[in-house]
Every structure is written in C-alpha cells, then in structure tokens.
Amino acid sequence: MTDVDVLIVGAGPAGLAAALEVRRAGLSVEIIEQRETIGGAIYRQPIAGVRPVRQATGAERRWRALADDFAASGIPVRHACVFVGIDGAGLVLIEDRHAGKIRKVAARGVVLAVGAVEKVLPRPGWQLAGVSTAGGLQVMMKETGRAPGGRVLLAGNGPLLIAVAAQMAKLRNPPVAIIEAGDPIRRFAAGIGLCAYPELVTEALSYLQTVHLHRILWMRAALVARIERREKGLLRAVVRDVRGREHVFDVDRIGLHDGIRPNEFGLPLETAKDASLPVILRAGDCREALGAKAAIADGRRAAGEILERLAGAGWRQVREIARLRRAQDVLARLFQPVDGADPLMRLPDETILCRCENRTVGDLRRLCAGPDTPSGREVKHNGRFAMGSCQGRFCADNTAALMAAPGPDRPPPSPEDLTGRRWPTRPLPIGAFVAAHAEETIPEDEQQD
C-alpha cells in the first residue's frame, strides 16, 4: 500500500520547489514541516500580526514567485510534523506533534530537504547566557519584526554577519560592531571574481550601504578571543586584531557565526539506483549548503531525478547549481580568515566544547593523550562528548577535529564516529510511541479521537 508517491521533508525553498515539480508531473506529493508555516529558515514567516521584515529585492522576488506557485498548487502540508526516520519496512516515521503520536507513511520516494545549520566554533565563554548564533538573531527578527534589544555585537566569519547587521539597522537597533575574521576589502582578486554574479553583488552592496549609513564599525581581520561575564548581566568580548592588539566591547548580547553546513545529522543515506523503494534523495542545503537560490534549483534537480527513477521520465538540472557553487567558492575566498591557523588547536583547556555535558577541550585532550587514540564511540561513552540532549548535533564536528590533532598519521575520525546514523533523528517522547501502538492495537470502532 502506498499513501503518497513522493513525500517531501521540509517546506523550505528546496522542498517547495521539489514538490511543485513532482505535482506538475502528475504524481501525488505531500510535505511534512515541523513548523506551522512554510519558508524554512531563510524565508521564515512572521508570527500573526507582525509585518514581514524586508529582505533584499532579489530574495523577495524569488520567494514571492515560489510562494504564489505553491499556494496555487494545492499540495497538502502536514504542519508540526517532524521526520523521525525510515524503518526496516521502508515506512517513513513522523512525529505528529498536534496529535502526540508517531505516524507511518508509505511512500515510493522521499526527498529530504531540511536545510542547513549554522556553524559556530568554540571560544572561551561562548556558552554564557546572552551568546547565541547570528542566524538565530536573524530568525528572531523575521518572526517578531523587532531587532534584539540592547547593545549587540556580531562576530565570526562570512557575509551573513553583514546581512544581519543591516537588518538590525533597518529595525532601529544597529549592532555596536561586526567582528570579521576575514578581510574582503583587501582580497581584490576574489572581489573581481564576484562580478560574474551580479545578483550577489547587488545584494551585498545593498547591505554594505546600510552598514555604512548607520556607521556600524566593521572590524576586519579580527576575532573574539574570549567572552567574559560582567556585572549587571553584561558580556565583555575581548577582540584581538591581526596585529595582536586587544579591544574590549561591553555588550548585552553577542551573535556568533562561522559559516553554515548541511543539516545532515542522523539523515538516512541516499539510496542507490538499484535499491528497493522508497527512493531517498536529498535536496538543497542539506545536500550542499549553497544558499536559497541554489536550493530552489536543487529541489528541481531532486524532483527530476526522483521522477526518472519512479516514472522513467525525468531531467537533470545541474548547470545552475554548478554556477552557484562557483559563486560560493568566490565568497569563501573573499571572506577567508586572515589568520590561517586552525582556531580549534589554540583553544585553552578550560574552553567548553560540549555544552550539553559541560565537557571541556582539556577533558578531550586528556582522554586522547595516551598512545592509543580512542575511537569516537569510546570518546562518547567514556568522555560523554556528544552524549547530551543534542546527541552531538552541535559538538561532534569540533570534537572530531580536535581528536584528529594528536595523531595526524592516523585516519581522521568523522563526526559520525561519535553520533552514528540511525533513527530516531532526535529524542522523542515515549508517549508518542505508546499512542501510536494503542492506535494500531485497538479496533477502529473502539477508537476515540
């Protein structure tokens, strides 16, 4: 029995684009989305009664076209539903948070389009209250229509910091400064390469103009060396520039950002062409983090590939994705940190690495100091790294990188050595399983909603 031909996980730009293409081809399609609105993080919709925060003109135009097409399609969306995994029988397991139950869906194909996650490198004091991700501040602004209150410092690496600063300024609370590890102004050659992508140049100039008009300090080739708690709830950020000089900022909040990476935590692998159903594909930033425009193109690519497998007639859309991949490569060179040293290797021992379990860099170094480097599983169980409530979602990458340092001649560990790859993709309430079991075992004429 098949409930739907294609199930899309995630109602961001990649998921919506994939669903539209599948529907146009005549196959049945549904979307599951953990939030009550569509759009994902990049096109996060405001809460009821709040005016949307204006984005760059190109981004607004892309979203309006995609949202209008989707509204006209009539494609059903199961809101407040979280992807749990795919069981041995090939059924997709979903946590229906409205019903408080685990649902099972039989699908011929599954497209995973769950976006990207923000990458944040550990720094002394990064675990303190009042320190969050810059992307988290941006999402909050999109939902509430208000800038974060108080004095805010943005720090890390990449163009998102400029975008967040510009959006804060338009909402009448510009940040006190942007601390950028790179120095794009001095990377002239990379900047010239960006001219091949006029849509990116237009968007960047718009943000930079806002930053300049509001006289926001943009300190380049600098990094936050440590964060300290001060009196009256203030945070002190000690910033070190490329010459080794230290600068102090006393603020109420700090937003950190060091890039993005695919949100692939716990996801099942894509299935080979000769695998049994369901066909599993990834689309958008959870396959390759290239931004919203590329996510739309990659959603269409995934739809074409799944149609080729299920219906024997599909298409491949790779040229636009390759072009946008080159654009991201240019941005990476433009914002490449000036200090080429690995920031993880120079962290002091007292730096918190795993925030869930309060485990430090020193704890990991001592655990790996012996002649035999422990495996990821041993580090997890003996050191409790990646053992907390996030199950390594935020610390596994950094832990694996630090584990590799003592033994460069050995095969480097991967984050999955600590986390594994199995369902559920996240902790679930036992009651949801119990409710699902009761629903299956009680006769239909005795069930009550």
Side-chain angles (χ1 to χ4, degrees), residues 158-181:
L160 179 74
L161 295 171
I162 302 171
V164 174
Q167 289 165 338
M168 287 181 61
K170 289 181 179 180
L171 292 175
R172 302 181 180 178
N173 187 29
V176 298
I178 307 168
I179 309 301
E180 168 59 52

Side-chain angles (χ1 to χ4, degrees), residues 71-312:
S73 71
I75 295 171
V77 181
R78 301 189 189 199
H79 289 287
C81 287
V82 177
F83 174 73
V84 174
I86 298 177
D87 69 9
L91 296 174
V92 182
L93 304 181
I94 301 165
E95 181 195 1
D96 183 339
R97 290 182 171 174
H98 282 316
K101 299 176 183 177
I102 299 296
R103 305 286 192 188
K104 297 179 180 179
V105 179
R108 298 171 61 203
V110 178
V111 176
L112 302 170
V114 294
V117 292
E118 203 164 3
K119 184 168 63 175
V120 177
L121 296 173
R123 300 157 170 86
W126 73 311
Q127 79 283 358
L128 295 173
V131 181
S132 65
T133 67
L137 297 180
Q138 185 185 52
V139 167
M140 184 194 73
M141 287 189 286
K142 292 176 182 178
E143 288 184 336
T144 66
R146 299 194 302 268
R151 290 169 55 83
V152 181
L153 181 74
L154 301 177
N157 179 229
L160 179 74
L161 295 171
I162 302 171
V164 174
Q167 289 165 338
M168 287 181 61
K170 289 181 179 180
L171 292 175
R172 302 181 180 178
N173 187 29
V176 298
I178 307 168
I179 309 301
E180 168 59 52
D183 191 355
I185 299 299
R186 295 191 177 185
R187 298 191 186 278
F188 181 77
I192 292 296
L194 201 61
C195 294
Y197 310 97
E199 68 275 24
L200 292 180
V201 172
T202 301
E203 188 170 339
L205 289 177
S206 171
Y207 290 140
L208 286 171
Q209 182 182 34
T210 302
V211 167
H212 175 71
L213 290 175
H214 287 82
R215 298 181 179 179
I216 300 170
L217 173 64
W218 186 21
M219 185 179 292
R220 301 176 298 280
L223 53 86
V224 172
R226 63 186 182 275
I227 302 169
E228 303 167 353
R229 171 66 64 195
R230 306 295 290 175
E231 65 281 352
K232 299 181 180 179
L234 289 178
L235 295 169
R236 170 162 292 179
V238 179
V239 175
R240 185 176 299 125
D241 65 24
V242 71
R243 297 181 180 179
R245 298 173 300 190
E246 290 192 345
H247 310 260
V248 173
F249 294 85
D250 287 333
V251 295
D252 299 289
R253 302 190 67 162
I254 298 175
L256 300 176
H257 173 83
D258 295 296
I260 60 173
R261 57 182 175 81
N263 180 21
E264 58 184 2
F265 185 90
L267 295 183
L269 296 172
E270 292 190 327
T271 52
K273 289 187 177 181
D274 57 351
S276 60
L277 295 178
V279 175
I280 303 171
L281 295 177
R282 299 183 187 183
D285 281 349
C286 77
R287 186 180 77 93
E288 187 177 7
L290 299 175
K293 189 174 182 181
I296 294 173
D298 200 49
R300 292 170 179 156
R301 174 209 59 82
E305 188 169 338
I306 212 163
L307 289 168
E308 182 180 42
R309 299 203 200 176
L310 298 183

Side-chain angles (χ1 to χ4, degrees), residues 351-390:
T351 307
I352 295 293
L353 183 58
C354 173
R355 292 182 292 185
C356 294
E357 292 290 318
N358 204 38
R359 308 302 288 168
T360 68
V361 171
D363 293 331
L364 181 64
R365 285 172 177 159
R366 286 187 289 273
L367 195 61
C368 298
D372 297 321
T373 301
S375 66
R377 184 175 179 82
E378 289 169 330
V379 165
K380 179 172 185 173
H381 290 281
N382 297 335
R384 298 201 63 80
F385 291 92
M387 183 66 89
S389 58
C390 85

